[in-house]
Amino acid sequence: MKYLSIAFAFLFGTFSCAKNNDAEDILSEDTMVNILVDIHLTEGLVQSLSIPYDSSKILYPILERRIFEKHGVPDSIYVKSLEFYLRDAAKMEYLYERTIDSLSVKEKEAQQNQQP
């Protein structure tokens, strides 16, 4: 019985540590929103360019890498975080509401800067 308790404690500790390590690899909501905003702005930029589709398929990954460099995040952590947040539809909806709000603010700022 003593060994069973020790084994259980060991297994519990192992899984607890593994769970914490996974949580450390997940980006915060704020960081996810900032990256999503930059990704959507970059997608819009690439779509607005007068370049062939094949060229935009080459350009976008280059710009996407710059986004991850800007935020100091490896793309693998971004993908892992995106998968994590996608498992909770309500959380992902909340993140996209924040993303859309941030994009709307940026759009209003751009419109104000264009007015004389």
Side-chain angles (χ1 to χ4, degrees):
M1 187 69 162
K2 180 180 176 182
Y3 294 111
L4 183 60
S5 297
I6 292 171
F8 179 73
F10 176 75
L11 286 174
F12 180 75
T14 301
F15 287 119
S16 295
C17 291
K19 194 173 193 178
N20 288 340
N21 288 339
D22 286 345
E24 290 174 7
D25 290 343
I26 302 302
L27 298 174
S28 71
E29 292 178 9
D30 291 341
T31 302
M32 275 302 285
V33 168
N34 291 333
I35 292 173
L36 288 169
V37 166
D38 285 348
I39 284 174
H40 285 288
L41 289 172
T42 301
E43 287 174 349
L45 171 70
V46 171
Q47 288 177 357
S48 70
L49 296 174
S50 301
I51 58 175
Y53 178 72
D54 291 349
S55 298
S56 68
K57 284 180 68 172
I58 294 169
L59 177 61
Y60 180 76
I62 294 167
L63 296 176
E64 187 180 51
R65 272 194 304 272
R66 288 187 181 169
I67 292 170
F68 297 132
E69 289 171 3
K70 171 185 170 185
H71 293 280
V73 173
D75 61 342
S76 60
I77 298 297
Y78 168 75
V79 170
K80 185 176 183 178
S81 299
L82 185 61
E83 290 170 350
F84 171 80
Y85 287 117
L86 283 170
R87 285 186 226 132
D88 183 348
K91 179 67 74 175
M92 196 64 205
E93 183 177 354
Y94 172 70
L95 290 178
Y96 259 95
E97 286 173 1
R98 288 183 57 195
T99 301
I100 291 167
D101 288 346
S102 295
L103 288 168
S104 295
V105 167
K106 287 184 179 290
E107 181 182 30
K108 287 178 185 174
E109 288 173 354
Q111 288 173 351
Q112 288 175 351
N113 290 337
Q114 289 179 351
Q115 294 176 353

